[in-house]
């Protein structure tokens, strides 16, 4: 078998919460999962000879033949998967829910399976904390779909049958060596419930002076002083507790001060103890 890398679409699907299942329930889950993927391929008109599928226990990894149009998977295949999931979940107390990710790039194949950075990225998109957070926030939605930034711009953004680019949203994905942006979609929702981005902690003197400037653009102020756009004629500060350090000085007790930045040092009064 040739190990030459070919440009192929890669799909990784994973069942949510499978670790909680017992053996019999897990076997039923696997049967349903394979039925879901088969329905997707039928809907997209993709035969078994056009893809290589690997079993991943509670998921599957698939690489499509180079001549399979990516739009068929992003559109009709995804719709087929979604509809089959709805059928599988009829009457289930615990619905079958899946995360599915796609990316396209060079993929090598040997007797043992699939390899390549495209495979790595697809799996990391599917298994990322961001993807797990989104499917959790999506309540009982049966399917989360994630595509790489390049696949979104090359395929999804162009639209087509069963493709809804306006219902995708972009979020950051960090997993192992991967730090990138991806696009998230929950079928039948106007937009996916993305987790709130983490805000950097602001402490010390910069917390008193105002928010730090956004990263990217502007001069580097080295953390020693606020940039010019944050400068003001007067500086107000309140310090609670004893032995607080403020602009290089130590104060014992609460202290409220006002400083005229143009004319002189800060003056103020201590409510207890003295400043030094």
């Amino acid at each position: 078998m040739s190990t030459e890398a070919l440009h192929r679409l890669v799909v990784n699907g994973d069942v949510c919460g499978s670790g909680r299942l017992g053996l019999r329930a897990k076997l039923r889950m696997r049967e349903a999962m394979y039925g879901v993927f088969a329905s997707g391929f039928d809907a997209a008109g993709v035969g078994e000879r056009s893809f290589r599928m690997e079993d991943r226990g509670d998921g599957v990894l698939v690489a499509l033949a180079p001549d399979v149009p990516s739009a068929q998977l992003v559109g009709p295949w995804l719709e087929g998967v979604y509809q089959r999931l709805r059928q599988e979940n009829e009457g289930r107390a615990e619905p079958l829910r899946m995360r599915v990710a796609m990316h396209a790039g060079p993929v090598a194949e040997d007797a043992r399976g699939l390899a390549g950075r495209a495979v790595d990225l697809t799996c990391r998109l599917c298994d990322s904390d961001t993807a797990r957070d989104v499917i959790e926030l999506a309540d009982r939605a049966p399917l989360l779909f994630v595509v790489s930034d390049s696949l979104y711009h090359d395929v999804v953004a162009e639209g087509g049958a069963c493709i809804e680019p306006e219902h995708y949203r972009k979020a950051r994905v960090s997993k192992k060596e991967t730090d990138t942006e991806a696009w998230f979609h929950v079928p039948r929702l106007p937009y996916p419930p993305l987790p709130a981005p983490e805000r950097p902690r602001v402490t010390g003197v910069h917390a008193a002076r105002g928010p730090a400037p956004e990263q990217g653009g502007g001069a580097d102020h080295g953390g020693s002083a606020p940039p010019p756009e944050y400068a003001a004629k007067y500086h107000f500060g309140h310090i609670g507790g004893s032995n607080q350090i403020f602009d290089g000085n130590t104060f014992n007790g609460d202290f409220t001060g006002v400083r005229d930045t143009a004319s002189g040092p800060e003056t103020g009064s201590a409510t207890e103890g003295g400043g030094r």
Side-chain angles (χ1 to χ4, degrees), residues 10-13 99-103 122-123 125-126 144-147:
V10 183
V11 184
N12 183 211
R99 302 185 308 274
V100 174
M102 286 188 192
H103 175 52
T122 307
C123 294
L125 293 180
C126 186
L144 168 66
F145 185 51
V146 190
V147 297

Side-chain angles (χ1 to χ4, degrees), residues 74-75 78 145-147 152 156-157 162-170 182-186 189-192 194:
V74 171
L78 184 66
F145 185 51
V146 190
V147 297
Y152 176 85
V156 176
C162 304
I163 303 176
E164 302 174 312
E166 68 274 14
H167 297 312
Y168 286 68
R169 291 295 182 272
K170 182 169 59 174
W183 293 79
F184 295 78
H185 174 52
V186 177
L189 292 187
Y191 53 86
L194 300 180

Side-chain angles (χ1 to χ4, degrees), residues 25-35 55-59:
K26 186 162 291 190
L27 291 174
R28 291 193 297 271
M29 173 274 291
R30 283 170 51 80
E31 183 179 2
M33 175 186 69
Y34 274 96
D55 184 87
R56 294 297 177 97
D58 58 354

